[in-house]
Amino acid sequence: ATYNWTAYLQLAQLLQDAGLEWQVELSFHECGGNVGDIVNIPLPQWVLAVGETNFDIFYRDRWRGYNSEYLSLGVDRQPLFGGRTALELYEGVMRSFVSAFAPYLGGTITQVKVSLGPAGEMRYPSYQLRYGKWRYCGIGEFQCFDKYMLASLEREAEALGQPSWGHPPYNAGHYNSAPCETEFFTQGRTNNFESPYGRFFLTWYSRMLMQHAESMVRTARRVFSASGVGIAVKVAGVHWWYADMSHAAELTAGYYNTNGHDAYLELAKLFSLIDVALDFTCLEMTNLQEDYCGSKPEDIVYQALKGSKFYGVPFAGENALDLCMPECTPSKFDQIHRVASSFGGTALSRFTFLRMKRGLLDDDHNWKVFATFVARMLALGPPERPHNKH
């Protein structure tokens, strides 16, 4: 395949001339339809064309609806794209990028973030804003009803000697359910998340996502091995229903954070083994701002941060929502600084601000708030170099 990097090469040169660093995101996902998106950039037409005759290259819900934001991890090793697998497609983009940007790698370009799912996040598209399927704070839906993932689940159940378990839950409600409105996410119910079947399914569902992440990162590590750039992965802060025993919204997104499992500690362990930084969202949010939906954004941020610290994984962060719409909110910047100040001021390896807009640059009040925030963050100094605990 041939890729046109002209505009990005021009940007790289501008950044180099200005003495700035660039964190590149290789976006294998659609842009559009998520919070803050103001443009629509779908997957390439030659990829979508395959989906016109085979919807199962995309994630599907139990209603057989499909989501074309990102290819299902079920096709990672299926040669459906002109004889190539999805992993081979991703690798082709990476190799083209390395070839085109060789003069900037390790200098201007210091880190590459690898897209692993919708919105570039390592998750399933369980909460879909597009087409009005989901609204905050629904639990979302499991996304494993394409034929490739169903076949994997069936094989897993048969290998365990439990062929009757070879199907996703059919009692898990719908996109906008609350946990208590479902059988699967309610304690004491038959075949719920705590049952032997529920534990089996959730283990498989989360492991498939982790295997996809490992395959992608190992591919990136191989391609960028001599470039001197770091690799990062973005993990979503699914903070609603965190206070519920089931952690339902996290489960449908692929984070197994109940039944004695610490999803973010397990992710940090994997990331330490494959040498990748963890980039987490919703750093600007506090527990106090929510009094419904079991939302605990501070708790989930600190759980992920502690897991990363335990395994010596670089922990980066970003805000989830616009902080200056239309006027900057100083308390949100204060919360980000509070997180960054933890662990003796060494909590964050990087922070990504979303987003630079005219309303920020042209408004004196907004610019003053932002400039003060940047100065406070810089005053913390560089983070200590992590030491991986493999």
Side-chain angles (χ1 to χ4, degrees), residues 103-114:
Y104 304 99
L105 296 176
T108 300
I109 299 173
T110 58
Q111 189 180 74
V112 171
K113 190 186 300 181
V114 180

Side-chain angles (χ1 to χ4, degrees), residues 2-323:
T2 302
Y3 300 94
N4 183 358
W5 300 106
T6 303
Y8 299 97
L9 286 166
Q10 293 171 353
L11 175 60
Q13 188 60 51
L14 287 172
L15 294 173
Q16 185 181 74
D17 293 344
L20 297 175
E21 294 181 1
W22 188 12
Q23 180 200 59
V24 172
E25 178 161 358
L26 292 179
S27 299
F28 302 120
H29 60 280
E30 172 187 276
C31 179
N34 285 296
V35 175
D37 289 342
I38 57 174
V39 297
N40 180 50
I41 305 174
L43 297 185
Q45 184 54 46
W46 56 270
V47 173
L48 295 176
V50 177
E52 291 175 1
T53 56
N54 182 4
F55 293 142
D56 289 292
I57 67 170
F58 304 119
Y59 288 115
R60 306 190 76 166
D61 58 29
R62 77 184 183 101
W63 316 104
R64 303 297 290 161
Y66 67 92
N67 180 281
S68 59
E69 290 181 76
Y70 191 86
L71 293 175
S72 166
L73 60 80
V75 300
D76 275 358
R77 291 177 169 80
Q78 299 291 331
L80 303 173
F81 307 93
R84 292 187 293 168
T85 67
L87 285 175
E88 288 171 337
L89 298 185
Y90 304 139
E91 182 173 353
V93 175
M94 295 179 196
R95 291 196 178 280
S96 175
F97 182 86
V98 167
S99 175
F101 290 85
Y104 304 99
L105 296 176
T108 300
I109 299 173
T110 58
Q111 189 180 74
V112 171
K113 190 186 300 181
V114 180
S115 168
L116 297 180
E121 297 170 334
M122 178 188 167
R123 65 173 174 88
Y124 294 100
S126 54
Y127 49 99
Q128 302 174 22
L129 286 171
R130 55 162 47 190
Y131 309 131
K133 282 187 175 182
W134 176 85
R135 63 180 181 274
Y136 185 79
C137 53
I139 58 175
E141 291 197 15
F142 292 114
Q143 303 290 316
C144 54
F145 288 82
D146 64 82
K147 64 184 180 183
Y148 305 103
M149 292 196 70
L150 288 176
S152 170
L153 180 56
E154 290 173 3
R155 289 193 299 269
E156 190 89 358
E158 289 172 0
L160 194 64
Q162 297 285 352
S164 63
W165 289 357
H167 62 85
Y170 290 102
N171 59 349
H174 54 77
Y175 285 100
N176 295 307
S177 296
C180 63
E181 296 171 339
T182 75
E183 293 281 328
F184 188 78
F185 296 115
T186 302
Q187 290 183 284
R189 301 296 179 89
T190 303
N191 286 336
N192 73 343
F193 69 96
E194 297 174 307
S195 68
Y197 160 73
R199 292 170 186 267
F200 158 78
F201 171 76
L202 294 171
T203 298
W204 169 84
Y205 189 69
S206 60
R207 191 179 70 244
M208 291 290 285
L209 186 61
M210 293 180 73
Q211 288 176 349
H212 172 65
E214 182 173 1
S215 296
M216 291 286 283
V217 170
R218 289 196 185 280
T219 298
R221 274 265 159 250
R222 186 171 64 251
V223 173
F224 287 91
S225 61
S227 67
V229 303
I231 306 296
V233 165
K234 183 177 175 182
V235 176
V238 186
H239 54 85
W240 54 104
W241 303 118
Y242 182 89
D244 186 84
M245 185 65 72
S246 70
H247 289 249
E250 291 167 89
L251 296 185
T252 57
Y255 306 135
Y256 192 2
N257 201 33
T258 188
N259 291 338
H261 286 259
D262 184 329
Y264 309 102
L265 185 65
E266 293 172 10
L267 283 176
K269 181 180 180 180
L270 171 65
F271 287 7
S272 73
L273 293 171
I274 58 180
D275 191 20
V276 64
L278 192 160
D279 183 15
F280 206 75
T281 63
C282 71
L283 265 63
E284 83 281 16
M285 297 183 177
T286 66
N287 292 346
L288 298 177
Q289 67 192 52
E290 295 285 1
D291 59 357
Y292 65 101
C293 299
S295 174
K296 296 288 183 182
E298 282 184 88
D299 291 0
I300 197 172
V301 166
Y302 280 106
Q303 183 184 350
L305 177 53
K306 285 188 289 186
S308 295
K309 285 295 181 182
F310 182 82
Y311 279 107
V313 172
F315 185 87
E318 57 187 62
N319 52 298
L321 304 176
D322 197 327
L323 305 187

